Amino acid sequence: MFITRIENGTMQLNLQPEMIEDIFREAIHHLGRNKRKHNISMHLEDDLLMANMDARLIIQVLVNLINNAIKYTPENSNISLNARRVEDKILIEVQDDGNGVLHPDQLFEMFYTENNRGGDTRRGMGLGLSLCKSIIQSHGGTIWVENVTPHGACFKFVLDAVEVKLYE
């Protein structure tokens, strides 16, 4: 299983410096038709934010997080992708203005789905967020979720920043 290969270190990561803006655009491009029913925006502190990553895996994390926001928020909800530098890390956020999450400490457990202790076929298998956690941890990062006031959820993860050197 894919998650097992990541967790036991047998999956080879193709780590390269990548522009966060490009990764955001690629993730949005891979979303399904339901993206049209929501307002998806990007906010980057700096156009030159870069992080070391396996791009295809981080795009998968973003697609999973955005699709969850689409699934658990009403039509016309706002979903924002945010990125900023925090010391030697890049903090990436996927925030929505839905109802928030009931059990933030359990969301990343395998087979857990919100409003349902075990996965079922209608709501999904409960593997998406567990996969996201495994991918981010394989990159040496951390991932978590916070409820947003007055309502909504914000999934956050950090990756190692790449120093951009501009030549004069």
Side-chain angles (χ1 to χ4, degrees), residues 9-58:
T10 60
M11 173 121 185
Q12 287 295 103
L13 296 180
N14 181 19
L15 296 177
Q16 295 183 6
E18 299 283 349
M19 298 287 291
I20 301 300
E21 182 176 11
D22 294 343
I23 299 301
F24 279 2
R25 290 189 191 288
E26 191 66 25
I28 291 169
H29 175 76
H30 281 86
L31 296 173
R33 288 187 317 227
N34 289 335
K35 73 180 174 187
R36 292 186 215 116
K37 299 177 182 175
H38 291 75
N39 306 309
I40 301 175
S41 61
M42 297 188 319
H43 307 280
L44 291 99
E45 169 190 76
D46 178 348
D47 290 341
L48 297 176
L49 287 177
M50 293 183 76
N52 255 332
M53 67 179 80
D54 185 318
R56 67 188 171 86
L57 293 177
I58 298 303

Side-chain angles (χ1 to χ4, degrees), residues 3 7 61 64-66 68-69 72 101 103-104 106-114 125-136 143-145 155:
I3 294 175
E7 288 180 346
V61 168
N64 286 0
L65 295 177
I66 299 165
N68 273 356
Y72 291 105
V101 295
H103 305 283
Q106 294 177 315
L107 272 185
F108 296 98
E109 292 177 14
M110 198 175 296
F111 305 117
Y112 177 85
T113 58
E114 196 77 343
M125 293 292 294
L127 294 173
L129 292 176
S130 178
L131 175 64
C132 291
K133 179 180 177 183
S134 295
I135 290 170
I136 297 303
I143 186 169
W144 68 98
V145 62
F155 286 83

Side-chain angles (χ1 to χ4, degrees), residues 1 8 10 30 42 46 50 78 102 115 141 144 154 156 158:
M1 180 180 228
N8 69 17
T10 60
H30 281 86
M42 297 188 319
D46 178 348
M50 293 183 76
N78 297 306
L102 296 174
N115 300 324
W144 68 98
C154 186
K156 302 179 180 195
V158 292

Side-chain angles (χ1 to χ4, degrees), residues 118-168:
D120 71 39
T121 55
R122 288 187 329 273
R123 299 298 268 173
M125 293 292 294
L127 294 173
L129 292 176
S130 178
L131 175 64
C132 291
K133 179 180 177 183
S134 295
I135 290 170
I136 297 303
Q137 287 178 337
S138 73
H139 282 75
T142 54
I143 186 169
W144 68 98
V145 62
E146 297 174 0
N147 283 313
V148 178
T149 303
H151 52 84
C154 186
F155 286 83
K156 302 179 180 195
F157 63 92
V158 292
L159 298 171
D160 289 331
V162 173
E163 200 62 44
V164 178
K165 295 188 181 357
L166 299 176
Y167 299 97
E168 297 177 1

